[in-house]
Amino acid sequence: MFLKTGELKKIMKASLKRHGLIVGNIDGHYLVYSDNWGVYVEHAFATNKFKAAIMELIGDLPEAGECYLYTIDADKEIVAQAEIGYPDPYELWKKAKDVGICTPMYLGAWPHEYAVYQRKNDLKFIIALRDLTTSAISASELDTACEHMPDRPSILDGMVLYFKNKSTIYWVHTERPGKKATEVLFPHLDGISFFEDDWIDKGVEEPEEAAAKELLPY
């Protein structure tokens, strides 16, 4: 998996307390999601740490074909309710025709930090919680023998980021930037594409240095 289990556990716990956590065992995958994020991972690639994190929060994993919404009641007890309207992450990912790139910018709005992504089709900027994106995605628990890190995220409807490799789909909903970002910061970046590298100063070689390189026999 390309997600840090420790960070994912924090995300799941916060979701369970806030709106509830939906956990399913669907079509050979574990499906875990809430209002603004979700993960869909093949059984064979779901680490024991990942499964243990889920079980620690809700008690047990659903049986094959089951999906439940877990919430916390007034007595601090976990309540499970059957969930039938769960999404098909693979079909949604296929509909995500745009692509994004993570820029080297972060926006701070206490108590949160946001990662800034740029869309390919219109070069507009969108933001997503850093806790859900750059802080959670990592190669530290990747099974490098049979999987790789996801490529640039696909974007659905201009707003939902989908990170995918052969075993896992992870999605994050972006949020609306504040006025200072949309009216001050982002307009100054018009015309810059972070998909290219021409925004980086690579320096200019002195003529003597270029001529010396041409004379080198290797």
Side-chain angles (χ1 to χ4, degrees):
M1 293 180 62
F2 57 80
L3 298 169
K4 296 179 185 176
T5 301
E7 295 299 318
L8 190 58
K9 184 178 177 181
K10 294 177 187 176
I11 295 168
M12 292 190 293
K13 186 175 183 180
S15 296
L16 178 63
K17 290 181 176 180
R18 188 176 67 250
H19 297 298
L21 185 68
I22 298 172
V23 182
N25 186 342
I26 308 296
D27 297 330
H29 293 73
Y30 292 115
L31 173 65
V32 185
Y33 69 100
S34 190
D35 59 320
N36 61 345
W37 69 275
V39 62
Y40 184 64
V41 56
E42 288 185 30
H43 286 170
F45 291 88
T47 64
N48 289 333
K49 288 174 62 177
F50 170 70
K51 291 182 284 187
I54 297 173
M55 294 170 67
E56 186 176 331
L57 290 174
I58 63 173
D60 204 354
L61 293 171
E63 297 293 329
E66 295 179 343
C67 188
Y68 297 99
L69 167 63
Y70 295 89
T71 55
I72 301 176
D73 65 14
D75 297 320
K76 307 299 182 181
E77 298 292 329
I78 299 293
V79 177
Q81 179 181 349
E83 179 71 29
I84 60 174
Y86 50 83
D88 185 333
Y90 182 71
E91 290 300 320
L92 290 171
W93 168 76
K94 288 199 300 183
K95 294 179 181 179
K97 302 301 184 183
D98 198 5
V99 66
I101 188 170
C102 187
T103 75
M105 295 185 291
Y106 293 100
L107 302 182
W110 193 89
H112 301 298
E113 284 190 344
Y114 295 87
V116 180
Y117 289 80
Q118 187 175 41
R119 298 190 300 233
K120 178 70 171 178
N121 69 345
D122 59 6
L123 298 183
K124 297 298 184 183
F125 296 98
I126 53 180
I127 66 170
L129 282 169
R130 192 175 182 184
D131 288 346
L132 299 181
T133 52
T134 55
S135 294
I137 297 171
S138 169
S140 61
E141 297 181 35
L142 195 70
D143 186 349
T144 55
C146 52
E147 62 174 346
H148 55 77
M149 289 297 288
D151 295 325
R152 291 169 178 169
S154 301
I155 303 178
L156 178 65
D157 297 331
M159 299 301 292
V160 186
L161 303 168
Y162 280 84
F163 303 86
K164 181 184 180 301
N165 68 2
K166 66 176 292 184
S167 67
T168 305
I169 299 175
Y170 177 64
W171 69 94
V172 176
H173 289 257
T174 59
E175 300 190 12
R176 186 184 300 276
K179 290 185 67 175
K180 283 188 177 179
T182 57
E183 296 180 5
V184 180
L185 175 61
F186 295 160
H188 282 288
L189 299 174
D190 282 350
I192 294 178
S193 171
F194 287 95
F195 292 89
E196 308 294 338
D197 62 3
D198 56 1
W199 58 275
I200 300 174
D201 183 6
K202 298 179 181 179
V204 179
E205 285 188 338
E206 294 295 332
E208 294 81 0
E209 293 178 357
K213 286 184 178 180
E214 292 180 1
L215 295 175
L216 292 175
Y218 52 86

